[in-house]
């Protein structure tokens, strides 16, 4: 696994969505990675919004929900 190549890629394992992001301390050592980290954080927010939307739709249909707060 190469985090420099694979970060921000989403994988579903056992019903859990996973992605790798850079460790924050890397940004102190290599500020050039800040743009990549910002993109990754926006991707995390987008995935969370997507799952919450699916959760709301499932709840409206009387189905089991996929996210609990």
């Amino acid at each position: 696994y190469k985090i420099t190549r694979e970060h921000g890629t989403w994988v579903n394992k056992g019903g859990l969505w996973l992605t790798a992001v850079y460790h924050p301390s890397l940004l102190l050592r290599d500020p050039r990675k800040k743009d990549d980290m910002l993109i990754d954080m926006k991707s995390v927010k987008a995935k969370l919004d997507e799952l919450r939307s699916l959760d709301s739709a499932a709840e409206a249909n009387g189905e089991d929900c996929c996210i609990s707060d």
Side-chain angles (χ1 to χ4, degrees):
Y1 189 86
K2 296 257 187 204
I3 193 163
T4 54
R5 185 179 36 175
E6 314 256 349
H7 70 92
T9 302
W10 289 93
V11 178
N12 189 326
K13 294 248 183 195
L16 299 174
W17 284 100
L18 306 171
T19 190
V21 297
Y22 294 125
H23 192 279
S25 67
L26 174 68
L27 303 179
L28 297 173
R29 294 186 311 247
D30 188 355
R32 295 171 297 173
K33 301 283 191 224
K34 286 182 180 180
D35 289 339
D36 288 338
M37 181 65 138
L38 181 59
I39 291 167
D40 290 348
M41 291 295 104
K42 288 180 178 181
S43 173
V44 169
K45 170 80 168 85
K47 180 60 80 173
L48 183 58
D49 290 345
E50 174 190 339
L51 294 174
R52 284 189 172 151
S53 174
L54 291 173
D55 188 43
S56 296
E59 194 173 271
N61 290 331
E63 300 170 7
D64 288 334
C65 298
C66 44
I67 295 180
S68 60
D69 291 320

